[in-house]
Amino acid sequence: MRRLLHLARRFFQSVRSRPLEPAEQDLIATWLQGPEAELFWRQQRIDRRHAFDAAGHVSAARPERTDLTRAALLHDVGKADSSLSIPGRVIASALDLIGIPVRGRYRAYLDHGAIGAAHLTLIEADPIAVAFAAGHPGPCPPGVDPGDWALLREADGE
């Protein structure tokens, strides 16, 4: 039931998402450079908005931990590989929820965590960014501070 509520909340957030304002884009440029920024900007508008909002939550709570802010900005970068629209994402999530196997872009969307973690590993992103991309919204993995993980999960809307 918790997962269903999370999916419903994300659906409505996606439908209402607005493009990033120039000042928000400038702030992102202070947090991300080079390959990290490239991965961020590959995302669809809805994922960029969600990531920025999550990063704002993290930055407000722990402004000195820019690694956590970057992890929040980058946690869904693997979704870009699927290129699914909102209806496609709903279909993929619904099929997964009821246990129907999917392939292709739907599978890529559902596997976005592992895909994003692979991209982040290739560019040598912060270990917490790789871990959160790979493991969210699951439990804190070994070697990661539980408080950091809890903050990132909270920012992600868990």
Side-chain angles (χ1 to χ4, degrees):
M1 184 61 141
R2 182 177 171 177
R3 182 163 182 243
L4 185 59
L5 290 174
H6 172 75
L7 292 172
R9 184 172 49 252
R10 284 301 315 273
F11 170 77
F12 288 110
Q13 287 173 346
S14 296
V15 171
R16 293 188 334 253
S17 72
R18 63 192 189 331
L20 294 168
E21 302 288 332
E24 294 170 327
Q25 294 176 32
D26 291 344
L27 187 53
I28 290 165
T30 69
W31 289 324
L32 299 177
Q33 289 84 41
E36 288 181 338
E38 290 172 24
L39 282 175
F40 177 84
W41 291 108
R42 281 184 57 224
Q43 297 180 102
Q44 293 182 28
R45 181 194 81 233
I46 58 178
D47 300 317
R48 291 190 305 257
R49 168 55 57 195
H50 167 66
F52 179 79
D53 292 345
H57 180 89
V58 170
S59 180
R62 301 287 305 275
E64 77 285 2
R65 291 293 304 276
T66 56
D67 60 330
L68 297 180
T69 300
R70 287 191 300 277
L73 285 168
L74 298 168
H75 75 280
D76 281 335
V77 296
K79 289 181 179 179
D81 286 34
S82 72
S83 300
L84 286 180
S85 63
I86 293 172
R89 292 169 177 216
V90 169
I91 291 168
S93 297
L95 292 173
D96 185 54
L97 200 59
I98 60 176
I100 296 176
V102 295
R103 293 181 298 198
R105 292 176 22 191
Y106 295 106
R107 184 79 259 155
Y109 175 74
L110 295 174
D111 292 342
H112 75 272
I115 292 167
H119 291 317
L120 292 168
T121 298
L122 283 174
I123 65 166
E124 299 178 352
D126 296 315
I128 187 67
V130 175
F132 194 59
H136 79 286
C140 184
V144 174
D145 179 88
D148 293 347
W149 194 261
L151 176 61
L152 288 167
R153 283 192 61 184
E154 179 181 298
D156 191 32
E158 288 302 313

